[in-house]
Amino acid sequence: IGPILSTTSGDSPINHQEIHAWQKNVQVKLCPWEAQTLRDMSRHYLLKMIKSDHQDSPPPWLPEIDQQQGERVAAKVKDILRG
């Protein structure tokens, strides 16, 4: 199982059929909550991947900052670049 499914109609979160096939192939039995967690993680991964396509999107490992914090960072960067 990968983090998402890539098909001719586009990317999508993994589905129950894929999880079931994976369980049969590797002879692992997941609890229902584990299978649902995999689906949730796949959905969140795909949403982040879609958001990251936008150039102004911050990397997912950085905390979200508000406008005031962003303005302070921008001012510091400008000061550093001015010398």
Side-chain angles (χ1 to χ4, degrees):
I1 284 184
I4 58 172
L5 293 176
S6 293
T7 65
T8 56
S9 58
D11 295 327
S12 65
I14 57 174
N15 56 42
H16 286 290
Q17 292 85 359
E18 289 292 319
I19 293 170
H20 180 73
W22 176 81
Q23 288 181 92
K24 285 182 75 171
N25 287 342
V26 297
Q27 297 180 349
V28 169
K29 177 76 171 129
L30 297 177
C31 296
W33 70 266
E34 292 171 315
Q36 187 59 49
T37 299
L38 285 176
R39 283 187 39 81
D40 292 343
M41 289 170 56
S42 178
R43 191 173 70 256
H44 289 294
Y45 180 92
L46 181 60
L47 290 174
K48 273 295 191 185
M49 193 174 86
I50 292 168
K51 279 179 131 181
S52 71
D53 282 345
H54 303 293
Q55 189 174 15
D56 60 345
S57 178
W61 59 85
L62 291 179
E64 291 187 26
I65 60 171
D66 61 24
Q67 184 176 353
Q68 194 175 39
Q69 290 171 314
E71 290 169 358
R72 283 197 305 263
V73 170
K76 286 181 184 179
V77 170
K78 286 179 184 176
D79 287 345
I80 291 170
L81 294 176
R82 287 186 190 135

